[in-house]
Amino acid sequence: MTAPRRLQILSVAVVAGLHLAAGIAQPAGPLVTATPGVAGATEAAAEAALKNCQLEQSLRLWREILAADPIHERARFVVTGLTAQALDLDSHLAVIQTLIEQKATDDVHPLLDAASRRAATDTQKARILYLRGRLARELSQPGRARANFEAAGKLFGDSDWAGRSAIALAEMDQAESVPARARRLLSAVGENRQLSASVREEAALKLLLMDSSGWTSRRQVAALGELLGDTTDDAVKRRILSEIVRSCLAAQGQWTPEAVEAAGAILDGDPPHAPAGSILNKLSSVAARSQDPSVLDALLKVLAEVKLKDAPLARRAALARADALISRAVVDDDAATVKRRLAGAGEALDRLAAADPTPADTEQIRRLRGRALLAEAQKLIALSGPAEALPAVTKAKAHYLAALPADPAGALAQLQNIGRLLEHVGQWHTAIDLYRQIARQFPHMAEAADALLRVAEIYEQRLNAPTAALEVYAEYAGRYPAELPYRQLDVGRRLRRLGYANVLDFQKRNGLDPDGAFGPNTRRKLEQLEESFDVIRLASPGRDTGVIRGRFVHPTMFAIARRLQVQGRHHDAIRAHLLLLNLFPTKKQADDALLAVARGLRDNLLFEEALGAYTELIEYFPKGNATSAAYVEAAACLENLGRWKQAGELYELYLKKFPRYRHAGLCAARIKLLDEVQQYQEFLAANGAAAKAPEAQYQIGVILYKRLGNHTKAAVELAKVADNYPKHVRAADGLFTAGAAHLRTENFPAARAVFAKLAADYPQSRLADDAQYWIGHTHEYAARALGKLDARRIVLRRRAGRQRESLLADMQLRRRYHPQARPGEQMPDSVWTTDALGVLTSGSKRDRVNAELFRAIAAYRAVVAKFKMGDMAGKALHRVGEIYTNYLNDPEKGFQAYQELLTNYPGTTQAVNALYEVGAYRLHNKDFAQAVKCYRQFVYNYPTDKRAQDAMLAIARCHMESKAYDKALDAYQSYLSKFPAGRGADFAKAQITWIRTYHY
Amino acid sequence: MLTKSLLLMLSLCVCALPVTATSRLAGAAPAPSSASAPSPAPAAGDQAEAVKVYARGHYAAVVALLGPKHEAGRANIQQRLILARSYLHLGCRDDALAVLNSVLAADIDNPEANALAGRIRHDRGEHKQALRYLQHAYRLKRDPATASLLGRCHYALGQPVKAKVHLEAALAADIRDPTNSLLLGRICLDRGMGALAQKYLLMAQEAGATSAELHELLGRAYMLQRKYIGSVQARRLEGDPAPGDIVAGGVVLGKIAGVAGRYKVCTPYCALHEGYRLLAARPRSSEARFMLAAGWLAAGNTELAAEHLKPLMQTQPPPPGAAELHARLLLAREDYAALEARLAAPAATGSLDRAKSSQFYYHAAIALRAQGNRKEAIRMLTKAEKLSPTSGVVLRSLAALHLSLAQNDQARQYYARLVELFPDADDIDQLRNTLRVLSETKGGAR
């Protein structure tokens, strides 16, 4: 309740007291009638006076009656009441004055009228006139105000209230820009020795304020300080101090130590409750908000010294001091001092808590304790690091969790702040603990839903723990569903599900009174309908209202699963997709998830399990977007399993079901090819030892490789040629193609193994040097992909060995799709690589890249060493040069490789490149003569090469660099004669002009 | 004429009824016995008479009436079907099958004969043969009863995908049979599809199924979906219900502090609720205890969780998942000594695998560190490190903790390991820098 309002109520009480007369008058009838004769006439007169509010006259009469009859009850009652009232007129007027000062002017007029009827002394009458003037001024009636003030001055010239009226008149004059009159009035009051000191000092203050209105704040404060020394009245002193505070604030725009000290001085003289409360409010605000150490120090000093007799005010001062201590700690830079100050604040709060505080104080103490804990946590994080600060954060967390029932909004806001603070300093797990605690303790609140979601986001985005994130998302979806199952829907949705637009529609169509209200009849009818609609018998109405809805999380979960798949974490990806299917089987991502599961199994060569997943997809989502692809991919799995007939049947089924889909042509072609493969297979089965058997085996592999594009199976089948028929002419060919097939699947280790076998077992084969070259190529390619060495990036599929191991070991998952699944892999392990990029070898990425490059060089060198006369030797040397020059940043060694190439294999295609590269190397090393030689040789030998132009320009540049301008001129001219419209023609012309201008 | 047509209609209705239904009819009718059975029907023995006798549930009489006629090869297909049904009611499957074979020999596309033959084979456990008959019957007539049988055959043959498709078809046509939805729920549950399992199991419940098995399956479906307590609402309740009381369908989780008369109540669609229902049906069910323990732990009531977990941990060996739940409970209760003992327990008492144990040690260490007990946190982290020596989070925490305690040598070792193990880490430069500073300077406590 505001102060003016309280005063108004008090005034009403006063009025009620005045109207006691009326109250007293009520029972007068029977009492008076009981008294006979003269006494009766006196009583009647007394009653009449009472009725007319002539209270003093009435009192006199009643006293006479009481003197005559001491046991006269009515007289005793009225005299007691009226005496109290008469004596209380001054306090009544004080109340009215306060009301006016507080601008609570409603209904003050009757009060003043009543008071004026009672006024007996000149002082009271002067005061009433003064108050009437003040009231009129407040009500914007300046004429009436002035009249009253002037009347007070004229009728009661030397009274204090007349003096105050003069001061009020001066204020009005000043407001009306008549300063001379105002000054004269104030001077007159100040010089009137018959007035009390307080009035004269007040006039002096007003005069000073009026005179100092154009002064600087410093001068004004100095003058006020001087006046303060001469002032004796406490109230005026307080006003002077208030003016000092105001001046300081106006000058600085914020609290200064001087202002704080002045405000503190106001409290020194044990001021009345209201002004003291007002000052304490201001100081509390400073304590809570100020970040200026000097202000806070001054405040702490003031609050330590202040001695207030009023207990509530003293408590408020103590609270403000605790607040100021916390604020001072916040701006401290030393951890020990911070702790000391906060401990001081804690002790102060403990003392306050022990002193039987009011509920409001308890709330304030709780708030300040939380603030102290939070401040400690924040300061320690900043000054000593998170490890030191965590206990303080934990205490703050416990404090706000305990405070949550009492102040849910405030405590939750602070808890969220703590969570953000923990996140800010990277204490993710501690933040997760906090959020989980909120979610566990207050699951019925929306904030709990947010907290749980935040946990999931931290796992996903900060801790790189997608599987943990998925678990939390699942829990979130279970606890805060984005859409409720039918049984948990509200009435509106229940009606809509049954085909009704709303309750009114339902009532109209079911013969109910259409009032739009969901009354008992309507409810009963709806339940009947639901009962008859067997599928959807609902729980009792209203049971599940108020369930907190959450966000849709299935798109996020699907995205996480996709990411896992791309990262090569197949097992985790499959589990993530299965979780999605488990929770959201009707969402549009469900069939994609199942397809991803099938593909994950297929990519790990678990073809039987993949088939199970594809079958499930085909059966569960017959009309899904991904279903047609499932047919083709399932058929490919069957190919890998060697079940050619079933694969063909599946392709046929595809053609039958999706004759216009994009894979129709592919299926038709494959059906024929599978027939062919089947025939070879049958031939092999029947004639395994026949002379044509190796050829049949080879043809199966070739069909798979070249025409079906099934490289995994092709590698297996082609390797069989060498395994089963090592002497056959197709053996080396088979091995080489098997290696190529492995390369297609980016299975570098397997490809290297096959090529190495070919190079070792069939060194005389025409493919042996190729095989050795490709070994080098796999290393080089892996290094380029891993180190991102080329401008155009090589991106390989990612695979994780541990994930494959865990997938193979997850028999529960595998048997879900293939009940006969056995531990271990289905295909030879060599077919599946775990480490195409060598990521499992130790060392940094740069080390791994370099190691791969050196392995590549070694392999290329082996080509040159073992197969000197082969067609791959030149290529190998060229690659060695390229690796040194482009990837290992060692052009010297690259140059050596090129030189070796030019020396030993000058007629090869690679020699062209080598020659050009050597020229570039010489130019780079400023060996211009040799560079010119190389480039000339290049132009002479390969005049049609697209780099011939560059070579001729390079020759000219070499001459320019060696300042052989005549030769340079010749070189540019010969370039122009050969390439008059070449891309360097303009440049050549300019150079020619320049040489002619400056050197001839 | 009218009577004849009525009888014909009745015969058709009877033939269309499934055996179970007719059995119920038979149960309602006076039980036929050799003593009380009426004497064989009149010599006329025409089809109408046979239908009438069959409808009365006098199957022996039907056999007596039509058997000789069938033996003599004079019974028509309709009469043979009635005879086969009567044999079936009398439990003479072989005779029924012989009669049905004769029908199929005459009319291989008779849907009823195929369906009945399939049913008999299915009842005998000859699912592959049954499948042949039933598939043919279903091709001829899309009958929900046949679809249901087909689904059961596929399920018995380990073909849950096809089983699901047929059972769904049966359910779409006739929702009243809870066994279909129950089996569908079970299939979905086996396939790890919790939401679908929940849907079918609730349909079974709505169709009148009430059994402990249903509660168990429902509970599992909820557990699979992580609906340990599901949605929680703040409700105003009369009286003073205790946690675990089932009020208005939901389970009371506890009072809401600071608000008189308001309680946290969880939805009935959760494992906690089903756990209570299962426990009421099967008081010794460990599955129910597990659901309740998981539910109460999710609700943050560790006392009740411990109460339900205790009997589980006393069984030898504890059920799967109980050890992990127990460890989570101890972590929630901040009873780190007991947690250590649990993690160190031998396999017979339900130990956890290395990765999970390491995680629990790590979480305990994080909690201890948050409480300011850094030395104890280091001890826990060291245990976690032993179980998973290459764990990045464990090594990072150890490094940071040693650094904060000014134990620079140990901190340096851990930073060196981090740099060695994670050369491609995002913050590798920061790790290297810290390592370099630690190597160069003495002290360095933060």
Side-chain angles (χ1 to χ4, degrees):
Chain A
M1 190 188 295
T2 58
R5 181 71 193 137
R6 277 202 297 271
L7 280 167
Q8 204 149 16
I9 289 169
L10 181 61
S11 73
V12 169
V14 171
V15 173
L18 285 173
H19 287 291
L20 180 68
I24 293 167
Q26 294 299 323
L31 284 170
V32 171
T33 50
T35 314
V38 179
T42 313
E43 275 183 38
E47 289 288 352
L50 187 65
K51 204 172 180 181
N52 293 330
C53 273
Q54 294 167 341
L55 298 181
E56 288 181 8
Q57 189 186 348
S58 177
L59 178 63
R60 187 173 49 77
L61 290 171
W62 281 114
R63 276 180 179 156
E64 283 173 14
I65 295 166
L66 193 64
D69 182 6
I71 57 163
H72 194 291
E73 286 186 14
R74 170 72 179 158
R76 191 187 294 168
F77 176 70
V78 177
V79 165
T80 311
L82 282 182
T83 305
Q85 285 304 313
L87 290 175
D88 205 32
L89 181 59
D90 285 336
S91 55
H92 173 209
L93 289 172
V95 168
I96 293 171
Q97 186 173 346
T98 312
L99 280 172
I100 294 168
E101 282 169 1
Q102 301 276 354
K103 301 188 190 305
T105 52
D106 294 348
D107 301 327
V108 173
H109 267 303
L111 294 174
L112 274 172
D113 290 343
S116 67
R117 283 198 290 273
R118 294 174 59 207
T121 63
D122 287 351
T123 310
Q124 287 174 337
K125 286 171 186 168
R127 189 174 189 180
I128 288 167
L129 283 169
Y130 168 75
L131 290 176
R132 282 189 190 283
R134 288 285 302 268
L135 180 63
R137 209 171 134 192
E138 289 298 333
L139 295 172
S140 303
Q141 296 166 343
R144 184 175 284 186
R146 190 174 282 278
N148 280 305
F149 289 138
E150 283 173 354
K154 280 178 187 165
L155 294 173
F156 313 102
D158 293 331
S159 73
D160 280 359
W161 295 107
R164 288 198 173 92
S165 295
I167 294 170
L169 274 172
E171 284 171 354
M172 289 179 75
D173 286 340
Q174 191 184 359
E176 289 165 10
S177 303
V178 193
R181 199 164 64 192
R183 194 168 284 116
R184 197 171 58 244
L185 278 170
L186 289 171
S187 300
V189 173
E191 288 162 9
N192 189 346
R193 292 286 160 191
Q194 290 185 350
L195 299 178
S196 67
S198 66
V199 179
R200 282 187 281 120
E201 285 168 359
E202 193 180 336
L205 172 63
K206 292 280 178 193
L207 196 58
L208 174 62
L209 290 175
M210 208 166 86
D211 289 341
S212 66
S213 59
W215 297 0
T216 61
S217 294
R218 185 176 290 275
R219 191 178 165 197
Q220 196 176 31
V221 168
L224 284 167
E226 205 173 312
L227 183 63
L228 187 65
D230 299 338
T231 306
T232 55
D233 185 71
D234 285 344
V236 180
K237 275 184 177 176
R238 283 195 291 273
R239 291 190 63 183
I240 293 170
L241 286 166
S242 297
E243 286 300 329
I244 291 173
V245 171
R246 192 186 57 75
S247 294
C248 290
L249 286 176
Q252 301 290 327
Q254 60 183 6
W255 281 84
T256 57
E258 293 78 21
V260 170
E261 279 160 12
I266 296 174
L267 294 175
D268 277 347
D270 196 22
H273 188 92
S278 166
I279 289 295
L280 272 176
N281 279 347
K282 287 177 183 168
L283 292 180
S284 298
S285 171
V286 175
R289 292 178 191 160
S290 178
Q291 294 181 341
D292 184 339
S294 60
V295 171
L296 289 168
D297 284 339
L299 180 61
L300 283 169
K301 191 178 167 199
V302 162
L303 289 172
E305 288 169 359
V306 73
K307 298 278 184 286
L308 291 166
K309 288 176 186 165
D310 186 89
L313 287 176
R315 272 204 303 273
R316 279 173 66 187
L319 283 168
R321 185 167 179 273
D323 214 354
L325 272 170
I326 297 168
S327 294
R328 186 66 185 85
V330 169
V331 294
D332 251 320
D333 291 336
D334 176 57
T337 319
V338 167
K339 278 185 181 173
R340 187 169 49 76
R341 286 191 198 281
L342 290 173
E347 281 166 18
L349 291 172
D350 286 344
R351 278 197 299 276
L352 282 165
D356 195 18
T358 61
D361 288 344
T362 308
E363 171 61 21
Q364 182 73 348
I365 290 166
R366 188 191 58 72
R367 190 188 67 76
L368 288 177
R369 274 193 206 286
R371 188 175 173 228
L373 289 167
L374 261 185
E376 187 178 1
Q378 284 171 330
K379 289 304 291 182
L380 289 181
I381 281 174
L383 298 171
S384 312
E388 198 76 35
L390 275 177
V393 179
T394 309
K395 275 187 206 161
K397 180 181 87 174
H399 171 83
Y400 284 113
L401 279 171
L404 223 148
D407 175 21
L412 272 171
Q414 291 296 0
L415 284 169
Q416 279 164 356
N417 285 340
I418 294 172
R420 276 197 286 270
L421 178 71
L422 288 167
E423 286 185 44
H424 178 68
V425 294
Q427 299 297 316
W428 306 112
H429 282 104
T430 317
I432 284 173
D433 277 351
L434 168 63
Y435 291 136
R436 273 207 175 276
Q437 216 161 349
I438 295 172
R440 205 164 36 234
Q441 288 189 18
F442 311 98
H444 55 289
M445 297 172 80
E447 286 81 357
D450 295 340
L452 200 57
L453 196 63
R454 188 68 200 136
V455 172
E457 286 167 354
I458 290 175
Y459 273 127
E460 184 196 347
Q461 295 161 10
R462 303 292 177 186
L463 293 174
N464 191 23
T467 45
L470 285 170
E471 282 298 317
V472 183
Y473 277 126
E475 197 181 332
Y476 175 83
R479 208 176 270 194
Y480 307 104
E483 54 186 1
L484 289 175
Y486 184 78
R487 290 163 188 79
Q488 299 171 48
L489 296 178
D490 57 21
V491 172
R493 298 191 71 180
R494 282 165 65 189
L495 289 170
R496 282 196 290 279
R497 285 285 173 100
L498 288 172
Y500 299 101
N502 48 36
V503 175
L504 204 62
D505 181 29
F506 175 78
Q507 288 168 336
K508 279 180 185 170
R509 287 161 62 183
N510 286 283
L512 296 163
D513 184 18
D515 58 358
F518 192 67
N521 289 339
T522 313
R523 179 179 292 127
R524 206 175 302 119
K525 185 70 185 173
L526 178 60
E527 280 170 1
Q528 278 172 8
L529 276 178
E530 284 170 342
E531 288 286 337
S532 63
F533 196 80
D534 285 331
V535 190
I536 48 168
R537 200 172 69 208
L538 296 190
S540 61
R543 179 186 290 180
D544 294 306
T545 53
V547 169
I548 298 170
R549 303 291 181 86
R551 272 176 35 189
F552 280 106
V553 291
H554 60 276
T556 313
M557 292 177 76
F558 188 64
I560 292 174
R562 270 281 155 92
R563 267 206 304 280
L564 286 167
Q565 199 176 6
V566 171
Q567 288 167 2
R569 294 169 65 177
H570 288 133
H571 192 200
D572 287 344
I574 288 171
R575 289 159 68 111
H577 282 120
L578 286 176
L579 183 62
L580 197 82
L581 273 171
N582 168 12
L583 301 177
F584 308 105
T586 55
K587 296 291 172 201
K588 65 174 183 180
Q589 290 91 345
D591 56 346
D592 291 329
L594 192 49
L595 187 65
V597 170
R599 285 177 178 167
L601 292 166
R602 181 201 63 186
D603 291 346
N604 284 276
L605 309 186
L606 297 171
F607 295 117
E608 291 282 10
E609 288 82 343
L611 268 177
Y614 283 123
T615 310
E616 199 168 294
L617 177 67
I618 290 165
E619 294 284 359
Y620 289 176
F621 303 96
K623 293 177 182 172
N625 293 336
T627 310
S628 64
Y631 280 86
V632 177
E633 290 176 19
C637 286
L638 287 167
E639 284 172 18
N640 279 305
L641 291 168
R643 282 145 59 175
W644 315 109
K645 194 178 172 187
Q646 286 180 13
E649 284 169 1
L650 212 49
Y651 285 129
E652 278 170 8
L653 200 58
Y654 181 95
L655 280 177
K656 194 176 162 188
K657 289 201 169 208
F658 314 102
R660 291 167 189 273
Y661 278 39
R662 65 189 174 112
H663 292 308
L666 178 139
C667 289
R670 286 192 166 201
I671 289 166
K672 286 179 192 163
L673 290 170
L674 285 175
D675 279 344
E676 220 174 305
V677 170
Q678 224 176 320
Q679 281 175 22
Y680 282 122
Q681 197 71 54
E682 281 165 10
F683 174 79
L684 270 173
N687 313 288
K692 292 276 184 187
E695 185 62 30
Q697 181 65 52
Y698 179 75
Q699 286 305 326
I700 290 172
V702 168
I703 292 170
L704 282 164
Y705 178 67
K706 287 189 178 166
R707 295 161 76 184
L708 284 171
N710 187 340
H711 300 124
T712 310
K713 185 67 175 169
V716 173
E717 294 296 326
L718 286 163
K720 279 183 190 170
V721 181
D723 290 343
N724 298 341
Y725 314 101
K727 306 272 185 202
H728 195 267
V729 67
R730 290 291 196 186
D733 215 353
L735 277 177
F736 186 79
T737 319
H742 280 310
L743 283 182
R744 296 265 184 176
T745 57
E746 295 176 359
N747 187 349
F748 298 149
R752 277 197 284 271
V754 172
F755 287 135
K757 187 180 179 189
L758 171 58
D761 295 352
Y762 304 94
Q764 301 306 318
S765 162
R766 63 182 172 83
L767 295 169
D769 58 340
D770 292 71
Q772 184 60 43
Y773 175 84
W774 281 106
I775 290 173
H777 178 80
T778 57
H779 286 301
E780 185 192 340
Y781 199 71
R784 282 160 62 191
L786 182 63
K788 297 171 185 167
L789 301 179
D790 300 296
R792 194 174 173 188
R793 296 272 165 81
I794 298 168
V795 180
L796 299 179
R797 275 205 307 274
R798 295 175 74 176
R799 294 160 171 151
R802 280 188 198 163
Q803 287 281 312
R804 178 171 156 81
E805 274 173 32
S806 65
L807 179 59
L808 290 178
D810 191 346
M811 294 312 296
Q812 196 186 355
L813 170 71
R814 288 177 60 186
R815 286 188 178 141
R816 179 170 161 178
Y817 293 110
H818 180 48
Q820 290 81 37
R822 288 179 186 175
E825 66 275 359
Q826 290 174 356
M827 300 286 279
D829 202 32
S830 62
V831 177
W832 199 92
T833 181
T834 55
D835 198 15
L837 296 178
V839 288
L840 297 181
T841 49
S842 67
S844 71
K845 190 192 282 180
R846 187 64 235 176
D847 294 341
R848 294 203 300 272
V849 169
N850 285 351
E852 284 288 319
L853 289 172
F854 284 119
R855 281 189 208 110
I857 290 169
Y860 287 135
R861 284 277 172 205
V863 178
V864 181
K866 289 182 187 169
F867 311 99
K868 265 198 183 71
M869 306 309 291
D871 60 341
M872 300 308 284
K875 282 184 187 171
L877 275 174
H878 184 250
R879 290 313 310 163
V880 171
E882 287 276 300
I883 289 171
Y884 275 124
T885 313
N886 295 337
Y887 304 139
L888 288 171
N889 201 21
D890 190 352
E892 192 62 45
K893 285 190 177 163
F895 167 70
Q896 286 170 14
Y898 289 134
Q899 281 291 16
E900 196 180 334
L901 172 61
L902 287 170
T903 310
N904 298 328
Y905 308 98
T908 58
T909 322
Q910 289 74 33
V912 186
N913 299 328
L915 197 56
Y916 188 85
E917 295 293 341
V918 168
Y921 174 72
R922 299 282 194 200
L923 180 62
H924 180 74
N925 285 351
K926 299 187 188 303
D927 186 358
F928 300 119
Q930 287 299 320
V932 168
K933 200 173 162 186
C934 284
Y935 282 127
R936 276 207 180 131
Q937 200 176 345
F938 180 83
V939 176
Y940 179 77
N941 287 333
Y942 316 105
T944 55
D945 191 281
K946 61 182 177 185
R947 286 169 295 180
Q949 282 192 56
D950 296 333
M952 291 185 81
L953 285 174
I955 290 167
R957 187 185 153 199
C958 287
H959 290 310
M960 288 286 282
E961 293 280 349
S962 53
K963 301 194 186 326
Y965 297 110
D966 50 342
K967 288 181 183 170
L969 189 67
D970 288 347
Y972 282 123
Q973 280 173 342
S974 92
Y975 171 81
L976 280 175
S977 64
K978 198 164 185 184
F979 304 104
R983 57 179 176 272
D986 291 341
F987 174 73
K989 283 172 193 165
Q991 288 294 91
I992 288 167
T993 312
W994 185 83
I995 292 168
R996 283 189 174 147
T997 307
Y998 295 102
H999 296 286
Y1000 288 100
Chain B
M1 186 65 195
L2 185 66
T3 317
K4 271 193 175 180
S5 59
L6 274 173
L7 280 171
L8 187 62
M9 278 173 67
L10 179 64
S11 76
L12 287 172
C13 290
V14 167
C15 292
L17 279 174
V19 170
T20 47
T22 47
S23 302
R24 284 201 292 272
L25 272 176
S33 68
S34 54
S36 62
S39 55
D46 62 352
Q47 187 176 325
E49 185 60 26
V51 168
K52 201 187 290 178
V53 175
Y54 180 88
R56 284 182 194 143
H58 299 162
Y59 305 118
V62 176
V63 170
L65 188 69
L66 296 177
K69 208 171 176 180
H70 170 63
E71 294 292 331
R74 286 186 288 110
N76 64 22
I77 285 181
Q78 202 57 41
Q79 286 167 336
R80 276 184 272 175
L81 284 173
I82 295 170
L83 182 61
R85 281 191 171 275
S86 300
Y87 274 132
L88 269 179
H89 281 294
L90 294 169
C92 309
R93 284 181 184 157
D94 291 338
D95 295 332
L97 198 59
V99 174
L100 288 170
N101 283 338
S102 75
V103 173
L104 289 171
D107 176 12
I108 197 163
D109 288 336
N110 187 307
E112 197 185 343
N114 275 297
L116 285 174
R119 181 190 304 277
I120 292 167
R121 299 275 187 189
H122 172 263
D123 291 346
R124 280 179 174 180
E126 297 164 3
H127 300 296
K128 273 193 178 171
Q129 292 93 321
L131 205 58
R132 199 160 47 84
Y133 287 110
L134 290 169
Q135 277 172 339
H136 193 53
Y138 196 61
R139 268 196 292 274
L140 295 164
K141 188 182 173 188
R142 302 253 158 192
D143 178 37
T146 313
S148 168
L149 270 176
L150 261 174
R152 276 162 218 288
C153 273
H154 279 301
Y155 184 70
L157 289 169
Q159 298 163 347
V161 177
K162 288 183 177 171
K164 183 168 175 272
V165 172
H166 283 108
L167 286 168
E168 274 176 347
L171 197 65
D174 179 12
I175 202 164
R176 289 167 300 178
D177 186 0
T179 53
N180 285 338
S181 33
L182 194 68
L183 186 56
L184 265 172
R186 184 184 283 282
I187 289 171
C188 290
L189 209 52
D190 291 344
R191 313 294 291 169
M193 302 170 100
L196 280 182
Q198 178 191 339
K199 178 182 129 185
Y200 289 124
L201 292 169
L202 285 174
M203 282 166 83
Q205 186 175 288
E206 285 164 4
T210 48
S211 64
E213 187 199 6
L214 177 68
H215 300 315
E216 187 179 333
L217 293 175
L218 257 176
R220 272 194 221 161
Y222 292 131
M223 292 288 283
L224 202 60
Q225 295 174 78
R226 281 73 169 169
K227 288 183 178 173
Y228 307 115
I229 52 170
S231 304
V232 178
Q233 300 167 49
R235 302 267 289 272
R236 191 172 294 283
L237 298 176
E238 298 294 324
D240 188 17
D245 287 358
I246 296 181
V247 179
V251 182
V252 177
L253 298 181
K255 278 183 181 172
I256 294 175
V259 196
R262 283 182 79 80
Y263 292 81
K264 288 183 272 186
V265 180
C266 77
T267 169
Y269 307 102
C270 69
L272 189 66
H273 184 253
E274 289 309 320
Y276 274 115
R277 295 213 296 179
L278 180 58
L279 196 68
R282 280 191 208 148
R284 298 172 67 84
S285 166
S286 58
E287 190 109 20
R289 293 277 179 196
F290 188 77
M291 288 174 201
L292 290 170
W296 283 118
L297 192 59
N301 190 331
T302 51
E303 281 76 25
L304 280 174
E307 185 187 315
H308 291 292
L309 199 56
K310 197 176 171 187
L312 290 182
M313 295 311 293
Q314 284 167 350
T315 55
Q316 285 302 331
E324 187 181 343
L325 201 60
H326 192 213
R328 279 174 49 209
L329 175 69
L330 295 171
L331 196 63
R333 287 179 137 185
E334 299 181 5
D335 189 351
Y336 303 120
L339 178 68
E340 271 190 273
R342 158 60 41 212
L343 296 177
T349 52
S351 67
L352 298 161
D353 64 39
R354 291 172 72 86
K356 278 193 178 147
S357 295
S358 171
Q359 270 184 10
F360 279 114
Y361 278 125
Y362 174 73
H363 284 298
I366 292 294
L368 283 164
R369 192 184 64 154
Q371 290 165 7
N373 197 344
R374 281 184 265 176
K375 289 190 175 163
E376 195 63 13
I378 286 181
R379 201 174 64 75
M380 286 285 183
L381 282 170
T382 311
K383 290 198 167 191
E385 184 205 353
K386 276 183 188 159
L387 293 168
S388 53
T390 56
S391 164
V393 284
V394 172
L395 292 176
R396 279 170 190 272
S397 302
L398 271 168
L401 270 174
H402 280 301
L403 195 62
S404 71
L405 288 172
Q407 296 166 347
N408 288 358
D409 285 343
Q410 289 95 324
R412 190 169 53 238
Q413 285 168 16
Y414 284 111
Y415 276 111
R417 276 177 65 189
L418 281 168
V419 167
E420 172 63 24
L421 281 169
F422 306 103
D424 299 330
D426 291 337
D427 60 344
I428 186 67
D429 292 336
Q430 196 184 341
L431 293 175
R432 283 203 172 117
N433 193 38
T434 312
L435 181 61
R436 202 188 67 242
V437 171
L438 283 172
S439 304
E440 285 172 0
T441 58
K442 299 267 179 186
R446 294 176 68 207

